[in-house]
Amino acid sequence: MTMQGLLYQPKIAEVLKNINKVMIGKEEAALLSVIALLAKGHVLLEDVPGVGKTMLVRTLAKSLDCDFKRIQFTPDLLPSDVTGVSIYNPKELQFEFRPGPILGNVVLADEINRTSPKTQSALLEGMEETSITVDGEAVPLNQPFFVMATQNPIEYEGTYPLPEAQLDRFLLKLKMGYPSAKQEVDMLTRTSGSHPIHTIEAVISRDELIDLQKQAEEVYVDQTVNRYIVDIVTGTRTHNGVYLGVSPRGSIALMKAAKAYAFIQDRDYVIPDDIKYLAPYVLAHRMILTSESKFEGTAAEDIVDELLTVTSIPVQRNVSE
């Protein structure tokens, strides 16, 4: 798949420029991450070690004047290590809440599949509810709130893969892949001295980001485009190779992502091409394939691509109708 937009919203263009200073050949992953950020969604980065997953998140966070927190998930991590804990203050004779890293604005959840489901749920609750539960009370999260989680698709021993119901909470699932030989040579040249991430400066403030998110929400989606989304999603529920199709949450996620993508391209309306571009990233991880499909080596992305081919694309309506 290729990037479509050439004209970017100015502030977003600065963020992408920052990321491209550090990451070579990862323009699409950078763009998709910013789409999720503007859509108030979250990203799951799944790929082998060493391809730049963590570096992408760090660079994005440095481009935003927001509170950045990192959680290194390990088997012994406790839910309170994520949410925070109440500690008794003998001077004040009362408990004081010490916030955990989930109270940051941009949260890197590194190797999320290496911790127990109980600890994973502490993060996933915040992603879904924009609040966490501490000592039986709901604590609202700071805004903006954006999670980028990473996991390795190898070394499954001792890991806790996220079930499909939890994967559904991520707006996008991305894979970065290895760089080309030329890109890797450029990478060695660029990092031979001081790492370029140290030169990155924030280009969007917290208030500006919240305002950009609100503007993205106001992008117009025509009913014909909504119908196009529903037709694609419905196709996942009736496809012979799919055991469980995409839920209505997936339809909403695809619409929100498309609105953010249109806004990034300086448009105030969504077009069908936005849907076609984003559908594999938004829908594929929300599907459970049949055992036959898995045995044949069919990927969820293949089925989404097939549905995009057979689903009728809406055309512009005549104003006089």
Side-chain angles (χ1 to χ4, degrees):
M1 296 185 190
T2 58
M3 292 170 59
Q4 299 176 359
L6 297 176
L7 178 65
Y8 290 133
Q9 204 276 346
K11 281 289 184 180
I12 302 303
E14 292 183 40
V15 174
L16 295 173
K17 183 179 178 181
N18 267 359
I19 297 175
N20 292 333
K21 285 181 183 177
V22 178
M23 309 292 297
I24 297 177
K26 306 300 180 187
E27 292 86 357
E28 189 164 56
L31 173 62
L32 290 164
S33 300
V34 174
I35 288 172
L37 175 66
L38 291 183
K40 298 182 180 179
H42 309 285
V43 174
L44 178 63
L45 284 168
E46 182 181 75
D47 218 319
V48 296
V51 294
K53 300 187 299 295
T54 302
M55 188 60 64
L56 171 62
V57 187
R58 288 180 57 197
T59 308
L60 177 60
K62 286 200 71 173
S63 299
L64 309 171
D65 188 18
C66 295
D67 190 17
F68 172 65
K69 300 292 184 182
R70 175 175 178 170
I71 310 172
Q72 183 65 52
F73 283 96
T74 56
D76 60 345
L77 200 72
L78 299 175
S80 58
D81 294 325
V82 175
T83 60
V85 64
S86 294
I87 299 177
Y88 185 72
N89 186 334
K91 292 184 179 180
E92 301 293 334
L93 301 178
Q94 62 182 8
F95 285 91
E96 294 180 351
F97 176 61
R98 300 288 178 87
I102 198 173
L103 271 296
N105 297 120
V106 178
V107 179
L108 167 59
D110 217 357
E111 297 190 286
I112 189 174
N113 58 330
R114 293 202 174 276
T115 196
S116 68
K118 187 175 183 180
T119 303
Q120 290 174 354
S121 66
L123 175 69
L124 294 164
E125 177 195 1
M127 290 167 52
E128 181 67 19
E129 307 295 338
T130 65
S131 66
I132 53 175
T133 303
V134 179
D135 296 333
E137 296 186 3
V139 177
L141 298 179
N142 298 326
Q143 296 301 320
F145 176 65
F146 176 60
V147 173
M148 289 191 75
T150 71
Q151 68 176 9
N152 299 326
I154 59 174
E155 299 177 358
Y156 281 113
E157 186 176 353
T159 64
Y160 304 86
L162 292 171
E164 283 73 11
Q166 305 291 34
L167 287 174
D168 199 33
R169 299 177 188 272
F170 289 95
L171 182 73
L172 305 173
K173 182 180 178 182
L174 309 180
K175 296 179 181 179
M176 300 182 67
Y178 286 116
S180 66
K182 181 182 183 305
Q183 290 170 344
E184 196 158 356
V185 170
D186 291 342
M187 187 185 307
L188 295 178
T189 303
R190 192 177 295 188
T191 57
S192 60
S194 176
H195 198 287
I197 195 172
H198 300 307
T199 65
I200 298 299
E201 296 182 357
V203 294
I204 295 181
S205 69
R206 185 179 312 179
D207 291 339
E208 285 176 328
L209 177 55
I210 292 174
D211 184 58
L212 289 172
Q213 290 176 330
K214 289 179 180 178
Q215 292 182 53
E217 284 182 339
E218 296 171 359
V219 170
Y220 174 72
V221 185
D222 191 80
Q223 283 298 97
T224 57
V225 176
N226 279 334
R227 182 67 201 185
Y228 183 49
I229 294 173
V230 172
D231 287 345
I232 297 169
V233 170
T234 302
T236 68
R237 302 169 190 165
T238 58
H239 195 283
N240 291 333
V242 180
Y243 174 73
L244 185 65
V246 178
S247 70
R249 181 189 290 171
S251 301
I252 296 171
L254 184 51
M255 179 191 67
K256 288 183 175 179
K259 290 169 74 170
Y261 184 41
F263 174 73
I264 286 174
Q265 296 185 92
D266 243 359
R267 274 189 281 110
D268 59 0
Y269 58 91
V270 172
I271 59 177
D273 280 349
D274 300 334
I275 307 301
K276 290 183 66 176
Y277 174 65
L278 291 166
Y281 303 104
V282 177
L283 303 182
H285 65 284
R286 303 171 189 271
M287 300 160 50
I288 302 178
L289 304 189
T290 62
S291 55
E292 291 82 4
S293 292
K294 295 177 182 177
F295 179 76
E296 293 170 359
T298 303
E301 290 83 358
D302 297 331
I303 293 177
V304 175
D305 288 340
E306 178 188 334
L307 292 172
L308 291 173
T309 302
V310 300
T311 304
S312 299
I313 300 175
V315 297
Q316 185 174 4
R317 294 181 298 179
N318 193 325
V319 179
S320 62
E321 290 181 359

